[in-house]
Each structure stands twice: as structure tokens, then as C-alpha cells.
Amino acid sequence: MNNLKEKIDALVQEISQLNDLNIKHDVLVYMEQQASWMLWQIDEDYHVDQNMKNI
């Protein structure tokens, strides 16, 4: 887990150093979309898991 946090922190640091605001914005929007998709997928998996326990 710590290794992943370090990688994410390094990526955020790299993005913060971008000078082109359009590119920085596009990258951050992309990251947000990917994170939202992953959270949605985890929520779906959680609901499926809970439903299986209730059977």
C-alpha cells in the first residue's frame, strides 16, 4: 500500500510541475475519470458480494 501511495504522490508531484495549464487540466480530468470509474466498479463489486451473502 505504501508503495502505491508513493507512486501516486510522485505522479501528483510530476503533474504539478507541468507548465501548460491545458495539459495539466486534461491530465487531472483524466485521473479523476479513472478514479471515479474504479470507485464505481468497487461499489458494484461490494453490492454483488453483499447480495451473495444474503442468499
Side-chain angles (χ1 to χ4, degrees), residues 22-39:
N22 290 323
I23 293 173
K24 186 183 288 189
H25 179 268
D26 290 345
V27 168
L28 291 173
V29 167
Y30 179 76
M31 285 178 61
E32 182 180 39
Q33 290 170 344
Q34 292 298 95
S36 293
W37 181 82
M38 289 178 73
L39 286 170

Side-chain angles (χ1 to χ4, degrees), residues 35-46:
S36 293
W37 181 82
M38 289 178 73
L39 286 170
W40 174 83
Q41 191 174 40
I42 289 169
D43 285 342
E44 287 297 308
D45 291 346
Y46 176 77

Side-chain angles (χ1 to χ4, degrees), residues 1-12:
M1 175 76 159
N2 283 341
N3 190 32
L4 284 174
K5 287 181 179 180
E6 289 174 10
K7 289 178 181 181
I8 292 168
D9 289 344
L11 182 58
V12 168

